[in-house]
């Protein structure tokens, strides 16, 4: 059972990753779900989540983009549908129909492209596809979110009556307005609306002369708004009809609510499904931002992250157009623990956090930015002790807090644990704290746990060198400038460069020498030796890089030379052909010149023709030799085709024998009757020919180059004669 604490999530800044993913969600529910992502507790569910994200990530690069999955939240509607005798407003039904239509379309799409999205389709197959909800809503509500006139016969009649009465209201109002306007009783605006009712704008001095009901006045009191008496009767009738309409609409909405209420569990599934797809889409978008992939998940105890990037650092640097340096880290059965040492600000903590965060992301169903040849296995626990953990609330010092943490590590640590400890052993007396840290490290080692720690303690570096399945590592530094190169190198401890860094920062050399005398000579020599080794390693890295660059240039030059060589050979062949052709023309020209000179001297036409015929015969004999060669090559090819056909016939005979043995178990499909002109091929063969002749159970098949007599049983029908 996988169990990872909230402390580990915070130590590795996992919530920061989730916030970025949540921002890519299209829906509120999707964003909330993204923020609640935690490591999966079982492997099967985890692999499903990883495959789904990987499939969605691939959809960005193929021609079958997954359609829109956005929706308007229907939590309010779900709440009311769960209450008996409640009913939804008309706008709510439009939202329910929209979410149903979106789900149905997505379900059908994923089913159609199951070959591309098998795991997304597995999730989709858990949801029922039905158009009943959409049809029920469409029968009552139009596309503008209003109840249709024909939603019920009574509503249709009421609205017809309302339209007729509105016509009478407008007609009577128009007559009254014309009458009082002619008498000069109306203001320039003539009419207005009060409480959604049409009224005359009567000058205050004439308000008693206009028959009707005063519904209000202007702010200055100069205008009285009066509904004409002739219109009042129709207005009252219209108000009654509007009340009847409202009652009928309420009755219809109650009926529709009760009809849809049995579908409540399915509607809840619809929203859950679309919000899940929204989260998968957001994870895929995040993977595209960080170049995330799904590495191989193996059952072997091996973690190998090649060219791994810290995703938060990568995105931050990308915004600043800064370079992010990838790290390659490997932990295996024979290299379970890495002890990283070296000066501060060299990238030790980032290397440690990169491994922890990527493993955590992977076990939470997220793709990670590593090389495609990377692989890892699943840990039951990831234990972390990173940063300043002084507890103000519990009045604990940093060291006390870390000791409590180590106690927890000792209780939970086993061979399926990954532990990550930053600045191991600090917070107490260097001698005593270092000794205790050494014992902890030995205990983690004997429990076969995987881990990465950073430290400045020499005794831990020595221990890592002595333990067979542990190794030292350091972050490379430039030997002259002491600037970090942000590259992790396995196999060698790193110097803290304490005195070198102090000297670089302007501390007087005399003070540094006095400090050296205060500590043991052995430690200084040990640290100095490590520093020298690290400098040598840095030089070797630079030399190696230079050699690689030169090798790359040499390969490119070699390819260019090969290309030039091929072109030269082609030109030489062309020149040779041209030379041979010219030599032939010169030879024939010389012969003709000799014959012409003889004819000029003796005028013997017969001898002239004989010489010409002789030259022609010689040239034709050369052509015949070339033609014979071509014929021989052609015959060889024909023999090869015949041999291939013979082999295929033999194979068909063997297959027929096997079919006869299985005849009682397998029912063969009826074979089409073959006719002259049909295009056929032999079973398991590729060559297609046409039937020229059929005699008894044999057919003469014409393959163009040759003909062959073949048993009808050995032939497969391709198409009829055109």
């Amino acid at each position: 059972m996988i169990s990872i604490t909230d402390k580990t999530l915070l130590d590795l800044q996992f919530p920061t990753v989730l916030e970025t993913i949540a921002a890519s969600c299209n829906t509120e529910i999707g964003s909330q779900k993204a923020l609640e992502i935690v490591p999966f507790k079982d492997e099967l569910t985890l692999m499903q989540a990883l495959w789904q994200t990987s499939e969605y990530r691939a959809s960005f690069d193929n021609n079958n983009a997954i359609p829109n999955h956005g929706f308007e939240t229907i939590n309010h509607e779900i709440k009311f549908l769960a209450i008996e005798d409640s009913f939804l407003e008309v706008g709510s039904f439009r939202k329910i129909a929209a979410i149903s239509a979106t789900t149905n379309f997505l379900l059908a799409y994923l089913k159609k492209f199951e070959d591309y999205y098998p795991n997304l389709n597995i999730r989709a197959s858990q949801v029922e596809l039905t158009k009943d909800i959409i049809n029920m809503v469409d029968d009552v509500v139009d596309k503008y979110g209003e109840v249709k006139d024909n939603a019920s016969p009574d509503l249709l009649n009421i609205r017809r009556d309302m339209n007729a009465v509105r016509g009478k209201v407008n007609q009577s109002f128009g007559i009254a307005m014309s009458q009082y306007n002619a008498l000069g009783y109306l203001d320039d605006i003539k009419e207005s609306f009060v409480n959604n009712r049409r009224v005359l704008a009567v000058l205050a001095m004439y308000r008693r002369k206009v028959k009707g009901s005063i519904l209000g006045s202007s702010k200055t009191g100069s205008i009285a708004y009066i509904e004409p008496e002739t219109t009042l009767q129709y207005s009252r009738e219209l108000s009654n009809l509007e009340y009847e309409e409202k009652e009928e609409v309420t009755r219809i909405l109650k009926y529709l609510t009760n009809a849809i209420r049995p579908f409540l569990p399915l509607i809840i599934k619809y929203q859950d499904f679309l919000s899940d797809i929204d989260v998968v889409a957001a994870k895929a978008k995040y993977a595209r931002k960080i170049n995330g992939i799904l590495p191989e998940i193996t059952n072997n105890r091996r973690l190998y992250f090649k060219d791994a990037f810290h995703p938060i650092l990568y995105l931050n640097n990308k915004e600043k157009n800064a370079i992010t340096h990838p790290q390659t880290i490997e932990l295996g059965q024979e290299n379970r623990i890495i002890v990283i040492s070296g000066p501060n600000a060299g990238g030790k903590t980032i290397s440690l956090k990169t491994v922890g965060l990527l493993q955590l992301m992977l076990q939470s169903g997220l793709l990670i930015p590593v090389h495609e040849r990377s692989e890892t296995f699943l840990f039951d626990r990831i234990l972390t002790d990173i940063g300043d953990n002084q507890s103000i609330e519990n009045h604990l010092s940093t060291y006390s807090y870390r000791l409590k943490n180590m106690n927890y590590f000792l209780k939970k640590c086993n061979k399926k644990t990954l532990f990550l400890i930053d600045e191991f052993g600090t917070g107490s007396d260097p001698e005593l704290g270092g000794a205790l840290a050494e014992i902890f490290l030995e205990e983690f080692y004997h429990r076969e746990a995987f881990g990465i720690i950073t430290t400045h303690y020499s005794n831990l570096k020595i221990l890592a060198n002595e333990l067979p399945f542990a190794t030292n590592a350091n972050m490379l530094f430039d030997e002259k400038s002491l600037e970090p190169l942000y590259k992790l190198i396995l196999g060698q401890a790193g110097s803290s460069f304490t005195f070198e860094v102090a000297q670089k920062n302007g501390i007087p050399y005399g003070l540094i020498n006095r400090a050296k005398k205060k500590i043991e000579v052995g430690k200084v020599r040990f640290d100095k030796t490590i520093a020298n080794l690290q400098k040598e390693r840095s030089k070797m890295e630079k030399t190696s890089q230079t050699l690689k660059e030169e090798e790359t240039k040499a390969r490119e030059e070699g390819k260019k030379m090969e290309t030039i060589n091929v072109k030269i050979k082609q030109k030489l062949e062309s020149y040779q052909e041209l030379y041979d052709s010219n030599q032939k023309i010169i030879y024939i020209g010389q012969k003709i010149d000799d014959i012409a000179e003889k004819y000029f001297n003796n005028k013997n036409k017969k001898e002239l023709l004989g010489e010409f015929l002789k030259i022609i015969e010689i040239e034709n004999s050369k052509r015949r030799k070339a033609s014979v060669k071509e014929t021989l090559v052609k015959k060889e090819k024909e023999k090869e085709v015949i041999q291939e056909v013979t082999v295929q016939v033999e194979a068909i005979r063997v297959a027929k024998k096997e079919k006869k043995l299985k005849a009682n178990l397998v029912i063969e499909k009826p074979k089409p009757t073959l006719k002259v002109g049909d295009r056929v091929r032999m079973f398991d063969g590729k060559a297609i020919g046409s039937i020229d002749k059929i005699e008894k159970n044999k057919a003469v098949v014409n393959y163009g180059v040759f003909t062959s007599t073949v048993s009808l049983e050995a032939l497969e029908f391709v198409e009829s004669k055109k």
Side-chain angles (χ1 to χ4, degrees):
M1 179 69 106
I2 297 170
S3 175
I4 297 171
T5 64
D6 291 340
K7 179 186 178 302
T8 296
L9 302 182
L10 290 170
D11 281 351
L12 295 172
Q13 297 175 277
F14 188 61
T16 305
V17 172
L18 298 187
E19 285 168 10
T20 310
I21 293 170
S24 298
C25 289
N26 294 336
T27 64
E28 291 178 18
I29 299 177
S31 295
Q32 189 58 41
K33 281 188 174 182
L35 292 172
E36 293 168 359
I37 292 173
V38 291
F40 286 87
K41 294 190 181 297
D42 68 283
E43 186 176 348
L44 182 61
T45 316
L46 167 62
M47 294 310 300
Q48 282 287 342
L50 286 169
W51 289 329
Q52 286 172 12
T53 307
S54 186
E55 287 171 6
Y56 208 114
R57 169 71 182 85
S59 74
F60 297 138
D61 304 320
N62 63 35
N63 296 324
N64 300 305
I66 295 173
N68 170 55
H69 53 266
F71 65 93
E72 222 177 324
T73 304
I74 56 169
N75 287 338
H76 170 79
E77 286 72 19
I78 289 171
K79 179 182 174 182
F80 270 80
L81 281 172
I83 302 170
E84 286 295 326
D85 298 328
S86 64
F87 70 94
L88 300 174
E89 294 298 327
V90 65
S92 295
F93 289 109
R94 198 71 265 160
K95 285 162 69 175
I96 290 172
I99 203 170
S100 300
T102 302
T103 305
N104 281 348
F105 186 77
L106 194 53
L107 294 178
Y109 181 88
L110 292 174
K111 181 65 178 174
K112 181 180 178 182
F113 293 100
E114 185 180 2
D115 291 345
Y116 288 91
Y117 311 115
N119 291 283
L120 286 170
N121 187 57
I122 288 171
R123 174 66 183 90
S125 63
Q126 298 168 5
V127 183
E128 180 188 349
L129 191 155
T130 175
K131 293 188 177 180
D132 291 348
I133 297 171
I134 301 167
N135 293 336
M136 282 191 287
V137 173
D138 285 347
D139 287 344
V140 173
V141 184
D142 64 20
K143 62 182 178 180
Y144 304 108
E146 299 291 337
V147 176
K148 292 180 177 179
D149 292 348
N150 60 356
S152 76
D154 288 345
L155 184 63
L156 184 62
N157 292 331
I158 290 168
R159 286 185 173 171
R160 280 176 181 170
D161 292 344
M162 286 173 69
N163 288 333
V165 173
R166 283 194 186 100
K168 291 177 182 178
V169 168
N170 291 334
Q171 185 181 6
S172 62
F173 186 87
I175 293 169
M177 186 170 66
S178 298
Q179 178 188 346
Y180 291 119
N181 188 46
L183 294 171
Y185 295 167
L186 303 182
D187 186 66
D188 290 341
I189 63 172
K190 294 182 183 178
E191 64 174 301
S192 185
F193 280 89
V194 176
N195 297 330
N196 205 29
R197 292 166 75 171
R198 199 175 176 191
V199 292
L200 296 170
V202 181
L203 294 169
M205 66 183 75
Y206 300 118
R207 68 178 183 274
R208 295 185 183 279
K209 293 187 177 184
V210 176
K211 294 180 180 180
S213 176
I214 298 176
L215 299 182
S217 61
S218 64
K219 289 181 180 180
T220 59
S222 61
I223 300 172
Y225 297 119
I226 300 173
E227 186 175 15
E229 189 178 42
T230 52
T231 307
L232 277 171
Q233 180 185 349
Y234 298 124
S235 294
R236 291 191 191 99
E237 189 178 347
L238 184 61
S239 295
N240 292 335
L241 287 170
E242 285 173 347
Y243 177 78
E244 289 178 20
E245 180 198 28
K246 186 178 178 182
E247 288 293 304
E248 181 60 18
V249 166
T250 300
R251 189 191 67 78
I252 292 167
L253 293 179
K254 283 182 178 178
Y255 174 80
L256 183 57
T257 303
N258 289 330
I260 284 180
R261 187 168 277 121
F263 292 94
L264 177 58
L266 183 59
I267 292 169
I268 293 171
K269 280 186 178 180
Y270 281 173
Q271 181 165 265
D272 195 42
F273 169 69
L274 290 180
S275 59
D276 282 351
I277 295 297
D278 193 24
V279 174
V280 173
K283 291 195 290 186
K285 290 172 190 172
Y286 183 72
R288 182 168 58 174
K289 281 183 185 177
I290 62 172
N291 301 318
I293 64 159
L294 174 57
E296 183 182 352
I297 307 295
T298 176
N299 291 324
N300 300 324
R301 278 167 46 82
R302 184 179 186 235
L303 181 151
Y304 176 57
F305 287 156
K306 182 180 179 183
D307 296 338
F309 289 90
H310 191 285
I312 300 171
L313 182 65
Y314 175 78
L315 292 179
N316 287 341
N317 285 345
K318 196 175 179 182
E319 286 183 7
K320 301 172 187 173
N321 291 323
I323 297 171
T324 308
H325 300 274
Q327 302 296 341
T328 297
I329 298 172
E330 182 175 6
L331 294 170
Q333 186 62 34
E334 296 183 356
N335 183 37
R336 298 195 296 269
I337 296 173
I338 296 175
V339 177
I340 307 176
S341 50
N344 293 327
K348 300 193 303 294
T349 303
I350 283 294
S351 297
L352 177 141
K353 281 187 172 182
T354 300
V355 174
L357 182 56
L358 295 188
Q359 186 67 33
L360 191 57
M361 286 171 61
L362 195 66
Q363 294 194 202
S364 301
L366 306 177
L367 306 184
I368 58 174
V370 293
H371 190 276
E372 59 187 9
R373 290 183 184 171
S374 301
E375 66 176 66
T376 187
F377 72 105
L378 303 178
F379 293 96
D380 284 352
R381 287 186 181 85
I382 300 175
L383 304 174
T384 56
D385 188 356
I386 300 171
D388 184 8
N389 293 310
Q390 187 167 6
S391 174
I392 296 169
E393 298 86 353
N394 298 321
H395 306 288
L396 294 176
S397 68
T398 300
Y399 191 61
S400 297
Y401 189 90
R402 300 196 84 162
L403 284 176
K404 282 184 174 292
N405 220 18
M406 287 304 104
N407 190 34
Y408 179 77
F409 278 32
L410 292 171
K411 288 178 182 176
K412 301 293 183 182
C413 201
N414 58 35
K415 66 179 182 180
K416 286 193 174 181
T417 300
L418 173 66
F419 66 88
L420 305 164
I421 306 173
D422 192 28
E423 301 295 346
F424 193 27
T426 56
S428 180
D429 178 271
E431 294 291 334
L432 304 178
L436 197 55
E438 193 173 330
I439 296 302
F440 289 149
L441 183 55
E442 285 178 349
E443 188 63 27
F444 298 150
Y445 177 84
H446 292 308
R447 294 190 185 188
E448 297 186 22
F450 279 30
I452 301 174
I453 67 172
T454 68
T455 188
H456 290 288
Y457 283 11
S458 298
N459 63 318
L460 297 179
K461 301 177 193 178
I462 295 168
L463 179 62
N465 194 50
E466 291 173 349
L467 294 172
F469 302 140
T471 186
N472 277 299
N474 70 84
M475 304 302 297
L476 274 189
F477 270 71
D478 187 279
E479 73 274 9
K480 292 180 180 177
S481 64
L482 290 179
E483 292 295 328
L485 300 175
Y486 300 106
K487 188 169 185 181
L488 182 70
I489 298 296
L490 297 178
Q492 181 182 308
S495 167
S496 297
F497 288 103
T498 306
F499 298 121
E500 289 86 346
V501 173
Q503 190 175 340
K504 184 194 172 192
N505 284 282
I507 304 299
Y509 190 71
L511 294 179
I512 293 171
N513 272 340
R514 281 168 61 189
K516 286 181 180 179
K517 291 173 184 177
K518 293 282 185 183
I519 60 172
E520 293 177 23
V521 177
K523 281 191 178 179
V524 175
R525 289 177 64 193
F526 178 70
D527 197 71
K528 189 176 180 181
T529 302
I530 291 175
N532 289 335
L533 286 170
Q534 203 163 335
K535 287 177 184 177
E536 289 300 319
R537 173 64 71 91
S538 182
K539 286 179 183 176
M540 286 175 66
E541 284 288 326
K542 284 187 176 180
T543 306
S544 175
Q545 187 64 31
T546 305
L547 287 171
K548 282 181 181 178
E549 289 173 2
E550 288 177 359
E551 185 184 356
T552 304
K553 286 180 183 177
R555 283 178 183 173
E556 289 174 357
E557 289 297 325
K559 286 180 181 178
K560 286 180 183 177
M561 292 300 293
E562 283 179 12
T563 306
I564 293 167
N565 193 25
V566 169
K567 287 180 180 178
I568 290 169
K569 281 183 179 178
Q570 289 173 348
K571 283 186 178 180
L572 283 173
E573 288 173 2
S574 300
Y575 287 141
Q576 185 64 46
E577 288 175 4
L578 184 62
Y579 175 77
D580 292 344
S581 176
N582 288 339
Q583 286 295 108
K584 180 179 177 183
I585 291 166
I586 291 167
Y587 171 75
I588 293 171
Q590 286 175 345
K591 281 280 186 184
I592 291 170
D593 189 55
D594 292 343
I595 294 166
E597 190 176 347
K598 279 185 182 180
Y599 179 72
F600 180 78
N601 293 325
N602 59 24
K603 304 294 183 182
N604 190 338
K605 289 184 179 180
K606 190 174 181 181
E607 187 180 349
L608 174 69
L609 290 171
E611 290 290 340
F612 269 122
L613 285 171
K614 189 177 179 182
I615 292 169
I616 291 166
E617 284 296 328
I618 290 168
E619 292 301 318
N620 282 344
S621 68
K622 290 178 182 178
R623 288 191 182 94
R624 275 195 292 272
K625 285 179 182 177
S627 178
V628 168
K629 281 184 181 178
E630 288 174 2
T631 305
L632 289 171
V633 170
K634 190 175 180 182
K635 283 184 178 180
E636 284 295 324
K637 285 183 179 177
E638 286 179 0
K639 281 182 181 179
E640 287 175 5
V641 172
I642 292 166
Q643 284 174 356
E644 184 184 343
V645 171
T646 307
V647 170
Q648 289 173 353
V649 170
E650 188 61 33
I652 291 164
R653 285 175 184 165
V654 172
K656 279 178 68 180
K657 286 181 181 179
E658 290 178 357
K659 282 183 180 179
K660 284 179 182 178
L661 292 172
K662 296 178 181 178
N664 295 329
L665 299 173
V666 181
I667 299 171
E668 293 184 359
K669 293 181 180 178
K671 294 182 180 178
T673 304
L674 299 177
K675 303 183 293 295
V676 173
D678 285 350
R679 289 177 64 76
V680 293
R681 66 175 162 222
M682 299 179 72
F683 287 105
D684 301 326
K686 294 180 181 177
I688 297 175
S690 59
I691 298 175
D692 284 354
K693 189 177 180 183
I694 296 175
E695 290 180 356
K696 295 183 180 180
N697 292 327
K698 293 188 177 181
V700 177
V701 182
N702 189 341
Y703 288 98
V705 179
F706 65 93
T707 60
S708 177
T709 302
V710 186
S711 171
L712 287 171
E713 293 294 325
L715 293 174
E716 179 185 2
F717 176 78
V718 175
E719 62 177 322
S720 300
K721 180 181 179 182
K722 294 183 179 177

